[in-house]
Amino acid sequence: MNSKFPNLLKPLDLGFTSLRNRVLMGSMHTGLEEVKNGYTRMAAYFEARAKGGVGLIVTGGISPNFRGWVAPFSSKLTSKRTARKHRLVTNAVHKYDTKICMQILHSGRYGYHPFNVSASSIKSPISKFKTKALSESAIQSTINDFVRCSKLAKYAGYDGVEIMGSEGYLINQFIVKRTNRRNDKWGGDYINRIKFPLEIVKRIRLEVGKEFIIIFRLSMLDLVEGGSSWDEVVHLAKELEKTGVNIINTGIGWHESRIPTIATMVPRAAFSWVTKRMMGEVNIPLITTNRINTPEIAEKILSDGHADMVSMARPFLADPEFVNKAMSNKPEEINTCIGCNQACLDHAFKGKVASCLVNPLACHETEIILNNTLKIKSIVVVGGGPAGLSYATTAAQRGHKVTLIEKSNSIGGQFNMAKKIPGKEEFYETLRYYQVMLKKYKVDVKLNTLFEPVMADKYDNVILATGIIPRKPKIKGIDHPKVVSYIDVLKNKVNVGSSVALIGAGGIGFDVAEYLSHKGESTSISTSSFMKEWGVDMSFLARAGIEGMKPSLSKTDRKIYLLQRKNGKVGAGLGKTTGWIHRFTLRNKDVKMINNVTYTKIDDKGLHFTRNQKEVILEVDHIVICAGQLSNNSIFESCKLVNLNTEIIGGAFHASELDAKKAIDQAVRSAAKV
Ligand code: NAP
Ligand code: SF4
């Protein structure tokens, strides 16, 4: 069979060892390292990906000492006792032809604890903890700790280590002037500042021998003021090669950068041009990364000569079988990562175990098990939104006979609106995935069909995934013709005027504001437009890619007001890793965000409210209601009377603060047990 992905699936020869393909499952902190039975769970998580065909895995970051912790008591490797626990992971992965490297990550000033250290005592803008400059002797002992950690990784059975030198962590803090103001031999000019990483690599190589993979994650584009210039990055890459690094991985941006680098609105493979610039400068393989989520994109990167290997982290949460599906020329069966961060990074940053919005099994492999059913049931799922689709496809995959009834003419529910938001085009992929799964597992889909409770007795089980109805707030004049719901807007039922007030500033209020304020095509589909909008210099004449540059987000032609009753920051409830992007974008487009309002009435003039005892009238053409949801569960009781095995899931079960993550998680867990 001719492969659609010949470059991606080509082995990579490293001399003393080889990788079965060009796919790296990139490092991702999952939080499993720190929980009860963490190593068993980690082993199951990584084993599923190794079984799924990936060539090389890099674990989440493990600190070489307690000062390098990401957060108090996060994972570190300082003893043989702990190393032996890691063998559960390495043995599980080595059942397959997959290599695994352990990432050594010292957080430096990003460490969310009082013991953190850095090159200089310059506090990180994204942490409440101050930092202490390492003394010269502490630098030596930190290097020793990196070396000890590498030796222990080898003892634990890893095929190598990845030294985390990017994303603004300790090594990166030594490399750049922004954070290194030392005047000893570890600071001052660039040659001194890069001594720290080079010494670490040199000493590790000496101790672990030649036949042990050393990957260095090099910050090629810092995206912060005072970061490295391109010439400096190239110089360091060449020195790293000389010092014994086998592979260089690309790091893009620091955690404190104010440029989105992996969120869903970032175009696919938006940063592979950075790795491409490095191709030919060194003779060791280069890995590229960031927002690569399909085998087609990965293949194109390699065939265009942008890199030797492709790293994907989140796509392996979304689908452990990514590589096998590509290998069998069935890319349409891949459950695509949509870049939402909702269950992976947002969890990790909140200290919760990561998972995946589109695949709740991720990191929960020992908890949610999809066995083939021993007793085939006839199941009807009512509602083709995220909850209904997940339930139907999961139950059918397990061997049940499933009918999916949807009253509209298409599947997808709220996802059909989400996909229309500029920057959220990835939702099309989730819908494509469900379409393919419905067909593969022979779910009988009945569109344009209204389910009546009397039909409930025809099935063994009835699953109501009937979703939500938008909340209609009790405001005088709420039925005025100026008032429309977000569904009217996103389904294009109304031509929204040039001035709009949005009641409610949750996820949907922000989405509608983005939709109404957008001009032209989505920048998510054009790397050059995206870089221009965010002020990134693709010619790399600007230091760190951004110095002297300014974002140029186009202003909206409409007057848009985004309102909430709460007194706090507007949009405070948005995702931890993406909320700032939405707030920043809308602010720059001149969308007015107003908190602490009390709505009084709506009339021909517009929306009336009081704020700080003052009466305000927004003379707008339309008022869009984005005030949350109520469960659409009206048929539950009558269905239950007909069929005791009636269950209600998703928004129909619990609408308050519901999102697709919770809906899909609940649906899959329930379908795993039926
Ligand atoms: P939501 O996040 O709960 O927001 C509802 C908004 O309506 C709040 O701003 C609330 O603020 C306001 N509100 C609530 N009751 C009101 C009332 N009676 N009168 C006036 N205003 C009222 O709900 P949503 O925006 O509909 O989103 C639904 C779910 O989908 C959420 O869980 C959301 O996180 C998720 N979602 C996420 C994203 C994302 O980008 N991550 C995008 C879309 C949706 P006040 O009470 O302060 O006025
Ligand atoms: Fe991708 Fe979202 Fe899943 Fe994270 S939660 S892996 S971003 S789909």
Side-chain angles (χ1 to χ4, degrees), residues 646-660:
T646 299
E647 195 186 338
I648 188 158
I649 60 169
F653 172 72
H654 188 64
S656 161
E657 295 195 5
L658 178 97
D659 57 21

Side-chain angles (χ1 to χ4, degrees), residues 314-315 317-318 336-345 355-359:
R314 297 172 299 169
L317 291 189
T336 309
C337 163
I338 57 173
C340 65
N341 287 354
Q342 277 176 253
C344 52
L345 292 181
S355 186
C356 172
L357 181 141
V358 298
N359 174 28

Side-chain angles (χ1 to χ4, degrees), residues 27 63 180 196 256 293 349 358 367 400 484 492 572 574 636 638:
S27 178
S63 179
N180 184 344
F196 185 63
E256 66 205 62
N293 64 344
F349 279 101
V358 298
E367 205 178 291
H400 291 298
V484 293
N492 297 327
L574 298 177
F636 177 61
S638 31

